[in-house]
Amino acid sequence: MNLVNKIQGLKKEKKALLLAHNYQRPEVQDIADYLGDSIELCRKAMDEKDADIIVFSAVDFMAESAAILNPDKKVLIPSLGARCPMAQMLTAEQVRIWKKKYPETPVVLYVNTLAEAKAECDICCTSANAVKVVNSLDEDTVLFGPDYNLAWRVQRKTGKNVIPIPSKGFCPTHILFTKGDIQLMRDQRPDAVIMVHPECIPEVQLSADFVGSTSQMCRYARGTSATKYVVGTEIGLIHRLTKENPKKTFIPLSDGAICPNMKMNTLERIFLSLKEEKHVITIPKSIAKKARKALEKMLFLL
Ligand code: 13P
Ligand code: SF4
């Protein structure tokens, strides 16, 4: 029996659901029960009733969110080392220090944060809803972290005073795209539509035709008549885009846009995760309770 069949067999036997992020390896995307961006995966994990186990093929903060939103399920992450570097850039202690400095200012945290940091914020957001979340608040000034580039976008779209915490948090994969990459593509592929993620630097966002979360890019490509697209995000999204739009062409803005943490989840690791029921995500109850409030506030808002 090959690995895929073994995984399918274990999933059935253990009543397990496999959730995968849009950046997962193609062979993992192909066997996932559900593939999505971070907000879609949050919702799916929260609403799941039938499964006993959720295997979350992504990085640490996403699996943590699933465990927080559905505490009755056993949530497994196939690779313990799959940690989003951006999420490590803002600790709970740092958030507390910023809150002391700005006691009247609400704290909005990108879901790309660890549970302890989320527990310190007023509301979470993802790249798909950050503008909506900040607009929903009465205050004109907000503390926003950890992604500086998303904070820049939110400030531009809402007209509010968005204070980035820390002052320059970033995604090591997305900041590598440059305006020069876009110019080169415009010269080489003048008929292509350029889509980028809001974790890209401001001048890249300003030079693109569409800026959105990974699933927003998928919807945009499905609903637009253009036949060629340049994709400025982690390279894993190209597989989904091509599968969903076989008659369209998708070109990576850079072949090197790889998130090594997302790529740690191989079929072998998913098989072992299911077989040995590892690695279980556990979050201290007091932290989970507060983090859940911030996540639910976001999820019930929209
Ligand atoms: P999405 O919510 O757009 O899928 O983004 C998550 C992420 O980690 C981007 O780097
Ligand atoms: Fe984190 Fe960037 Fe990887 Fe997304 S692509 S998980 S933000 S390091």
Side-chain angles (χ1 to χ4, degrees):
M1 224 198 303
N2 68 22
L3 260 186
V4 170
N5 290 341
K6 283 184 190 168
I7 291 171
Q8 303 293 23
L10 278 173
K11 265 181 19 187
K12 217 168 163 186
E13 182 192 316
K14 300 198 177 199
K15 281 182 82 182
L17 183 81
L18 177 60
L19 300 184
H21 185 263
N22 289 325
Y23 295 157
Q24 292 301 280
R25 291 165 180 266
E27 63 275 21
V28 173
Q29 295 191 24
D30 290 345
I31 58 158
D33 294 303
Y34 190 80
L35 188 61
D37 68 2
S38 38
I39 183 124
E40 291 169 339
L41 294 173
C42 273
R43 283 193 199 286
K44 205 73 195 166
M46 181 174 69
D47 296 342
E48 179 55 33
K49 296 208 169 47
D50 301 332
D52 293 333
I53 294 176
I54 296 175
V55 180
F56 212 113
S57 194
V59 289
D60 52 0
F61 72 85
M62 294 188 186
E64 276 193 358
S65 296
I68 291 166
L69 289 164
N70 204 335
D72 296 337
K73 308 288 175 200
K74 189 184 254 190
V75 177
L76 306 176
I77 185 160
S79 317
L80 258 191
R83 311 181 78 203
C84 166
M86 186 203 283
Q88 329 294 320
M89 289 179 192
L90 184 64
T91 63
E93 183 52 24
Q94 283 171 297
V95 181
R96 285 192 284 272
I97 292 168
W98 281 96
K99 285 204 302 192
K100 261 195 197 137
K101 215 166 150 192
Y102 294 87
E104 305 299 326
T105 309
V107 182
V108 181
L109 290 192
Y110 194 22
V111 285
N112 298 40
T113 40
L114 296 177
E116 300 94 77
K118 282 189 181 79
E120 294 294 331
C121 81
D122 295 288
I123 185 166
C124 289
C125 73
T126 73
S127 59
N129 63 22
V131 171
K132 257 187 184 166
V133 166
V134 171
N135 270 332
S136 77
L137 302 169
D138 294 333
E139 293 84 351
D140 286 328
T141 298
V142 299
L143 292 167
F144 187 102
D147 189 17
Y148 168 81
N149 297 303
L150 185 60
W152 171 85
R153 180 166 190 80
V154 170
Q155 166 141 321
R156 187 177 150 82
K157 293 281 175 186
T158 62
K160 296 195 183 195
N161 178 27
V162 179
I163 302 169
I165 59 166
S167 55
K168 215 75 199 230
F170 63 91
C171 161
T173 304
H174 284 87
I175 58 147
L176 296 180
F177 297 117
T178 65
K179 195 177 166 190
D181 293 333
I182 300 225
Q183 266 155 0
L184 199 69
M185 282 296 174
R186 292 261 185 236
D187 293 343
Q188 289 177 348
R189 317 252 182 185
D191 53 340
V193 169
I194 301 188
M195 313 188 284
V196 303
H197 197 274
E199 288 173 11
C200 295
I201 60 173
E203 57 177 21
V204 166
Q205 294 189 40
L206 288 171
S207 322
D209 300 309
F210 179 77
V211 182
S213 80
T214 54
S215 288
Q216 285 174 334
M217 285 189 228
C218 292
R219 279 192 288 280
Y220 183 76
R222 271 200 303 272
T224 313
S225 57
T227 54
K228 287 196 189 99
Y229 299 79
V230 170
V231 184
T233 192
E234 210 273 349
I235 209 149
L237 191 66
I238 301 278
H239 178 69
R240 175 170 172 187
L241 286 165
T242 309
K243 216 170 147 182
E244 289 180 350
N245 307 275
K247 294 202 173 107
K248 297 184 178 184
T249 308
F250 298 93
I251 308 127
L253 180 54
S254 157
D255 288 329
I258 294 170
C259 173
N261 293 281
M262 283 283 186
K263 297 298 188 253
M264 287 181 83
N265 303 312
T266 57
L267 285 181
E268 180 74 32
R269 283 198 167 140
I270 290 172
F271 166 69
L272 287 174
S273 172
L274 267 164
K275 185 167 168 251
E276 296 169 18
E277 300 192 13
K278 66 178 188 185
H279 308 274
V280 182
I281 303 283
T282 46
I283 308 209
K285 274 205 172 105
S286 58
I287 288 173
K289 195 175 161 199
K290 289 200 253 171
R292 185 186 171 112
K293 240 172 132 181
L295 279 165
E296 282 181 346
K297 225 165 158 185
M298 163 187 79
L299 291 164
F300 296 146
L301 182 74
L302 310 160

